[in-house]
Amino acid sequence: DDVSFSQFMSPSLPPSPPSLPSPPSTPPRLPPLSPPPPQPPLSPGFDVVAASEAELRSLITEAAESQADVSIYLPPRADFKLSSQISCVSSIKVTVASSGEGATLDGQEQTRLFYLTGGCSLTLRGLTLVNGRAGSGGVVYANGAGDVEIIDSVVRDCWASGEGGVVYAKDSGAVSIIGSTVTRCLAGESGSVVWAGALGWRRSQPCS
């Protein structure tokens, strides 16, 4: 019988895929990274600026550890919410200040604002100090500390169940409240504004 060879021919193969373009010899250039956000401006006369509660706390701790005085500027209208007191336990001078509308330190009705010992002196200037709560010293508790000054500030709604609705000072330096307004600050026992054990304190109007 006649045999057709076409019956034994291999089926045709599919066409080869198109060749891919060669990769570029150099990788593509990425766009430049965005610059970091600008830091708040530092007011003349200050060493450092604190833009957050954590920064403020860290700067004071570092200054105490290095035995170096420090002046800290807080940007106007900054609002620092404190969940615990800020401590200074070294014989240094700490200044915390603002300008313009001032910055706010808020104890959130949970804590006093500052605890001082070891000879530490504290100046608070141009601030709003609110909602401090403690057994003694609603804003500042000073025991074996240096001087405490509150200057050109607003203090309100601070309370101590014992002594010193604003400042409690024992075996410490002078306590001065100068050019500041104090309202709705109370103490359960004595010293709605200041309790100073065996020490006097200075007050300058307006301070109500």
Side-chain angles (χ1 to χ4, degrees):
D1 295 332
D2 293 334
V3 177
S4 171
F5 287 98
S6 62
Q7 296 178 6
F8 299 97
M9 293 179 63
S10 300
S12 59
L13 297 175
S16 301
S19 59
L20 298 175
S22 301
S25 56
T26 57
R29 298 184 63 182
L30 298 175
L33 297 176
S34 300
Q39 293 293 319
L42 182 61
S43 183
F46 291 87
D47 301 322
V48 286
V49 59
S52 68
E53 179 269 342
E55 273 190 287
L56 172 61
R57 190 181 299 273
S58 176
L59 288 168
I60 293 175
T61 299
E62 291 172 4
E65 291 174 349
S66 61
Q67 294 283 308
D69 296 347
V70 64
S71 297
I72 303 171
Y73 180 73
L74 307 184
R77 292 183 290 182
D79 190 0
F80 293 72
K81 305 290 188 184
L82 276 61
S83 57
S84 63
Q85 65 190 12
I86 297 174
S87 298
C88 177
V89 297
S90 180
S91 57
I92 62 173
K93 178 174 177 57
V94 175
T95 299
V96 181
S98 188
S99 60
E101 298 180 34
T104 297
L105 298 178
D106 186 351
Q108 302 187 91
E109 300 183 358
Q110 299 177 17
T111 181
R112 74 169 60 91
L113 306 186
F114 292 93
Y115 172 88
L116 311 177
T117 190
C120 183
S121 295
L122 176 67
T123 296
L124 303 172
R125 180 184 291 111
L127 303 172
T128 298
L129 311 168
V130 298
N131 299 324
R133 295 289 186 275
S136 295
V139 174
V140 178
Y141 180 98
N143 189 349
D147 296 340
V148 177
E149 298 178 316
I150 299 176
I151 302 171
D152 298 334
S153 295
V154 174
V155 187
R156 66 173 185 266
D157 301 317
C158 296
W159 182 82
S161 58
E163 297 91 6
V166 177
V167 178
Y168 173 95
K170 179 180 179 183
D171 300 328
S172 299
V175 178
S176 304
I177 299 180
I178 302 169
S180 300
T181 300
V182 180
T183 56
R184 298 191 299 274
C185 293
L186 301 171
E189 296 182 14
S190 61
S192 293
V193 177
V194 173
W195 186 93
L199 294 172
W201 71 283
R202 300 191 296 270
R203 183 181 73 180
S204 179
Q205 295 296 331
C207 177
S208 57

